[in-house]
Amino acid sequence: MTRQNPPPGPSRPRRRVTPALGLFLLAPLVAEYLLGNIAIDQLAGLLVLAPMYGGGALLIREVTRRAGRGWPTMFLLALAYGLLEAGLLDQSLFNPSYLGYDFQTTAHVPQLGVSAYYALLFLIGHTVWSIAVPIALVESFTPAHRTTPWLGRFGLAVTALVFVAGSGFIFYDHQVTEDFLPERRQLLGTAGLILLLIVVAFLVRRSRQRPATGRPAPDPWLVGGVAFLAGSLFWRIPEDRNGVALGIALVLVLAVVVLRWARRPGWDARHRLALAAGAVLTYCWFSFTIPPMLGSTGRTDLIGNAVFAAAAVLLLLAAGRAVRTGRARRADRPAPAPDRS
């Protein structure tokens, strides 16, 4: 009896490279273009931003999955990335006239030399939208390899080099164009916090196995609606100290609620995608309310916002289809071990 060869399909390297490249490009698209910070006529800037944004997101995802960790670790590393970018690379956290904008006066904290309001927006924006959302979206397309590394050692080393080079370029460019450098205490304090977050990220306990009984996970549509509402409220908090307190409370409450939901039986890829979808749809409408920091305003900006929003919706639909297909395939196989991440 002769052994038949398996049907042709994508090679293993291709299965690795495709999602990695997708995340590399999606991170800056969500972080800056879907948000509306950069207009569509500056799309070429994607090549400049991708090494920092995409390289950072890919490194965080790969290091976390290689360590066998889950989303708590990824979120802490994403927060460290937010501090790195806003505090040490483009230094928008400390610059009083970054790109000509006043990011210091609102809810100013003189002891730290930062605006509490913009510090909250920058850090949560980078943590959730620049890093976590792109990772969740791309992982939705790879259900069979969601918690496994996509890159080998060589690919990981190349990604690290690209990230360092891209970050160095952003730092250099802002030194030339902004002619600003934070105080030494601000630089050292930020670097110390980044290192602390990285250490804590790998000290958090691994997710425990969920009980087989108990209240089931909520409907994914409810999860997505809550994420959309919370994200929309977050980007509309008052621009004062009360708004900062409200924003922090909103983030903490949502984090507790999601952690409790994620421990319930039945929590799966549909719910993770729903969270990401709620965040993505928040940016879709919010982009129409702010002028771009770079690029053309007016009609060009509105057309660009519509194009990016439409592309985001199509991406969500495709991700939803991939999740449904993955669930259907698993239904035909023996029951897998509980999903803990």
Side-chain angles (χ1 to χ4, degrees):
M1 182 176 179
T2 59
R3 181 180 178 182
Q4 293 183 341
N5 292 326
S11 65
R12 187 177 179 185
R14 181 180 173 185
R15 290 201 303 268
R16 289 176 177 176
V17 171
T18 300
L21 181 60
L23 179 56
F24 185 78
L25 296 175
L26 184 62
L29 283 170
V30 173
E32 297 291 353
Y33 293 92
L34 184 62
L35 170 61
N37 261 352
I38 303 179
I40 194 170
D41 59 353
Q42 297 294 313
L43 191 56
L46 181 67
L47 299 177
V48 176
L49 296 174
M52 180 182 68
Y53 278 110
L58 189 53
L59 275 179
I60 288 171
R61 192 265 170 198
E62 289 297 295
V63 168
T64 300
R65 294 311 188 190
R66 280 175 171 271
R69 301 281 178 160
W71 279 101
T73 294
M74 258 191 290
F75 270 111
L76 287 169
L77 292 178
L79 181 57
Y81 170 89
L83 272 172
L84 174 67
E85 181 181 334
L88 301 183
L89 298 180
D90 66 30
Q91 300 158 12
S92 54
L93 195 62
F94 304 113
N95 192 339
S97 60
Y98 180 74
L99 295 179
Y101 291 86
D102 179 9
F103 287 144
Q104 287 290 315
T105 303
T106 305
H108 185 67
V109 183
Q111 296 84 354
L112 300 177
V114 301
S115 159
Y117 173 79
Y118 283 107
L120 180 63
L121 294 190
F122 291 163
L123 296 182
I124 297 301
H126 286 313
T127 300
V128 175
W129 280 272
S130 300
I131 303 297
V133 166
I135 291 174
L137 285 176
V138 178
E139 285 192 341
S140 296
F141 287 94
T142 59
H145 306 281
R146 186 182 67 82
T147 60
T148 58
W150 295 332
L151 302 176
R153 293 181 179 178
F154 178 75
L156 188 63
V158 170
T159 302
L161 289 175
V162 169
F163 172 68
V164 170
S167 299
F169 178 81
I170 294 297
F171 174 81
Y172 171 78
D173 179 69
H174 281 75
Q175 288 302 298
V176 173
T177 58
E178 297 291 322
D179 191 25
F180 172 83
L181 189 68
E183 297 178 11
R184 183 179 180 182
R185 64 183 180 89
Q186 292 173 321
L187 294 172
L188 293 176
T190 301
L193 283 175
I194 291 170
L195 292 175
L196 178 62
L197 284 169
I198 293 173
V199 171
V200 173
F202 291 99
L203 290 179
V204 294
R205 293 184 299 176
R206 298 171 187 264
S207 301
R208 294 177 295 178
Q209 181 174 332
R210 302 188 192 101
T213 60
R215 296 181 62 185
D219 187 279
W221 287 97
L222 173 62
V223 174
V226 169
F228 175 74
L229 178 61
S232 299
L233 290 175
F234 177 80
W235 287 102
R236 279 306 184 194
I237 59 175
E239 297 186 20
D240 52 31
R241 294 182 185 275
N242 291 331
V244 173
L246 177 61
I248 293 174
L250 186 63
V251 170
L252 293 177
V253 168
L254 183 64
V256 171
V257 169
V258 171
L259 283 173
R260 294 175 70 89
W261 280 347
R263 293 192 179 101
R264 294 184 183 181
W267 181 272
D268 58 23
R270 298 170 301 164
H271 300 87
R272 290 186 290 270
L273 177 59
L275 286 173
V280 166
L281 293 176
T282 297
Y283 266 15
C284 286
W285 73 260
F286 184 70
S287 64
F288 288 93
T289 69
I290 61 172
M293 299 179 69
L294 294 173
S296 301
T297 58
R299 181 180 299 178
T300 299
D301 179 41
L302 294 177
I303 292 174
N305 291 338
V307 169
F308 290 126
V313 171
L314 291 175
L315 182 66
L316 292 177
L317 292 174
R321 181 178 180 180
V323 167
R324 289 192 299 272
T325 301
R327 279 173 53 81
R329 288 175 179 172
R330 286 194 299 272
D332 295 332
R333 299 174 183 172
D339 189 350
R340 303 177 185 178
S341 53

